[in-house]
Amino acid sequence: MIENQIRAALETLPGVRSTVGLGGSGEKYILALTGEDPVALASAASAVERDLRTIPGLGNITSTASLIRPEIAVRPDFARAADLGVTSSAIAETLRVATLGDYDQSLAKLNLAQRQVPIVVKLQDSARQDLDLLGRLSVPGARGPVMLNQVASLTMEGGPAVIDRYDRSRNVNFEIELSSVGLGDAKTAVTKLPSIQKLPPGVRIAEVGDAEVMTELFASFGLAMLTGVLCIYIVLVLLFKDFLHPVTILCALPLALGGAFVGLLIGQKALSMPSLIGLIMLMGIATKNSILLVEYAIVARRDHGMSRWDALRDACHKRARPIIMTTLAMGAGMLPIAVGFGAADSSFRSPMAMAVIGGLITSTVLSLLVVPAVFTYVDDIEHWIRRTVRKLRGQPADPHIDDDLAETPAAGR
């Protein structure tokens, strides 16, 4: 109720558009520049901020570059200080106690009936503007107190109010609101900026925030994909008791991945974590379709005495229906999520559904064409290995292998 009243009140103002929350998608891209040279870092940050505002589709851009405020710069004369026995730490300690006061544990205490009151002795705040007064402060030395202006020079300069560090290096962060641009697209556009490509020596880009998470996500996803494929291969080897035909089954995975990328391109969805989850889902579905074809062809040759060509034709004919039915059922279930119908968070789930639907279509169509062809080549390799092994052992040739290859038409291979 309160939210509706606020929105209605804002809409009555001319030129004001009401938004709740951070606006847009709420996602932010954090760009961090790090370096040890403060001058080069500040110059690069200023140039990058100007170029960032030229990228279309980005929202508000804020920088953590601190404002410059006046400060007193103390530069010790180390040769003079060494002659008088004055250390740089003694100079810093003297200025700290004079301007800010000593630490609480070192202060004298006024004992009252109920509590202790620390007594802080320091110069007035106006004394910070008087460099002559600060120069007359006494600094302890090896041969007695020495005036500060005898061992150091004091000047009024400007410097950052706050110094931020990342991995012990100075850094400047840019928080970029992604209004209508994906994180990957924004990162690509930023890397093409002239100021980014021509950073000063010693200044570099550090991955932080969502960009760092995305980089780690893609690296972890690649490892998960390799682990998943290896586990599927091991299971198929145990089931088929063969090392080569599982390769035929796994050849359907690239077909599904290509269709998933095409689906994301058609749906104008970014390659994000939900779409990666969809790719992992496709691994099982595409593998299942290949298993139906390869397993039926192997059983038909082994148990029914069919030739390779006839076994492949019969497998494609009889296994096409369950493969297509599975694809239609899975695609129909994912279609409402892909279009965002009735989904609580369609922006998160829609890329996953688009990847699954695109991969299903291509894997279903191409599996019926590519998998039988790959099966023939793998089978030829397996038979060649068997013939070679029999020749090396001095065993006679197996007539069943030669007859099976002779019955395979050239078009089927």
Side-chain angles (χ1 to χ4, degrees):
M1 180 65 68
I2 297 177
E3 179 182 327
N4 295 333
Q5 293 177 356
I6 295 175
R7 184 182 293 109
L10 290 175
E11 290 177 352
T12 59
L13 299 177
V16 176
R17 181 179 60 184
S18 62
T19 57
V20 179
L22 297 176
S25 62
E27 297 181 355
K28 289 185 177 181
Y29 169 44
I30 301 179
L31 173 66
L33 300 179
T34 65
E36 296 296 340
D37 188 354
V39 178
L41 181 61
S43 176
S46 178
V48 169
E49 186 174 1
R50 288 195 303 268
D51 289 347
L52 285 176
R53 301 187 185 279
T54 62
I55 300 178
L58 297 182
N60 187 32
I61 300 175
T62 59
S63 172
T64 60
S66 301
L67 296 177
I68 301 300
R69 67 175 185 178
E71 64 181 10
I72 300 175
V74 181
R75 293 180 174 83
D77 185 353
F78 294 103
R80 180 62 175 168
D83 293 338
L84 299 177
V86 178
T87 61
S88 58
S89 61
I91 296 175
E93 187 74 8
T94 300
L95 288 172
R96 182 186 63 80
V97 174
T99 56
L100 298 177
D102 205 347
Y103 297 115
D104 290 343
Q105 61 269 21
S106 301
L107 295 176
K109 303 296 191 300
L110 175 61
N111 296 320
L112 301 178
Q114 301 294 333
R115 61 191 179 96
Q116 284 186 336
V117 179
I119 302 175
V120 180
V121 179
K122 64 178 181 178
L123 297 175
Q124 296 181 357
D125 294 339
S126 60
R128 301 180 183 179
Q129 307 294 332
D130 191 350
L131 298 183
D132 294 335
L133 177 60
L134 295 177
R136 292 194 297 269
L137 293 174
S138 297
V139 182
R143 294 187 294 271
V146 179
M147 294 182 64
L148 180 59
N149 55 15
Q150 294 181 356
V151 292
S153 61
L154 285 73
T155 56
M156 188 68 69
E157 298 180 2
V162 178
I163 299 177
D164 297 324
R165 293 186 180 273
Y166 181 80
D167 288 343
R168 296 183 296 180
S169 298
R170 289 175 179 256
N171 78 305
V172 175
N173 292 345
F174 298 95
E175 290 189 0
I176 307 169
E177 292 185 0
L178 305 178
S179 298
S180 58
V181 182
L183 179 59
D185 297 335
K187 185 178 178 181
T188 303
V190 168
T191 55
K192 296 180 180 179
L193 294 177
S195 57
I196 294 295
Q197 296 180 353
K198 299 179 181 179
L199 289 175
V203 179
R204 60 182 181 86
I205 299 177
E207 296 285 353
V208 296
D210 292 341
E212 183 181 13
V213 173
M214 186 178 68
T215 303
E216 296 176 354
L217 175 65
F218 277 96
S220 301
F221 171 75
L223 180 60
M225 285 287 292
L226 293 177
T227 304
V229 171
L230 180 60
C231 292
I232 293 175
Y233 177 78
I234 294 174
V235 172
L236 292 177
V237 169
L238 296 177
L239 292 177
F240 288 92
K241 298 180 177 61
D242 193 286
F243 288 96
L244 293 180
H245 281 302
V247 177
T248 305
I249 297 174
L250 294 178
C251 74
L253 295 181
L255 308 178
L257 296 180
F261 293 135
V262 173
L264 293 175
L265 182 62
I266 295 175
Q268 296 182 353
K269 303 296 182 181
L271 184 61
S272 56
M273 183 179 66
S275 58
L276 296 181
I277 296 175
L279 295 180
I280 295 179
M281 295 173 58
L282 281 175
M283 291 175 57
I285 301 174
T287 304
K288 184 267 302 177
N289 294 339
S290 297
I291 289 176
L292 291 177
L293 291 174
V294 175
E295 188 268 342
Y296 189 90
I298 292 176
V299 172
R301 295 177 63 187
R302 183 185 61 211
D303 298 342
H304 301 285
M306 300 176 64
S307 65
R308 184 173 66 186
W309 171 251
D310 294 334
L312 288 175
R313 290 183 58 188
D314 195 38
C316 293
H317 176 71
K318 293 183 178 179
R319 292 303 191 188
R321 179 178 296 179
I323 291 175
I324 295 176
M325 290 177 60
T326 303
T327 301
L328 292 177
M330 189 71 177
M334 285 291 180
L335 186 60
I337 301 177
V339 299
F341 178 75
D345 190 3
S346 60
S347 62
F348 181 83
R349 301 178 183 179
S350 179
M352 176 184 64
M354 293 297 298
V356 171
I357 293 175
L360 282 174
I361 295 175
T362 57
S363 65
T364 300
V365 175
L366 296 179
S367 293
L368 297 175
L369 301 175
V370 176
V371 172
V374 175
F375 182 90
T376 59
Y377 289 109
V378 172
D379 194 58
D380 288 343
I381 295 175
E382 184 178 9
H383 288 171
W384 177 81
I385 293 175
R386 289 181 180 178
R387 288 197 302 266
T388 303
V389 172
R390 295 179 69 88
K391 289 181 180 179
L392 293 177
R393 293 180 178 179
Q395 298 177 355
D398 189 353
H400 297 287
I401 297 178
D402 298 333
D403 294 342
D404 190 17
L405 294 177
E407 293 176 0
T408 302
R413 299 178 62 185

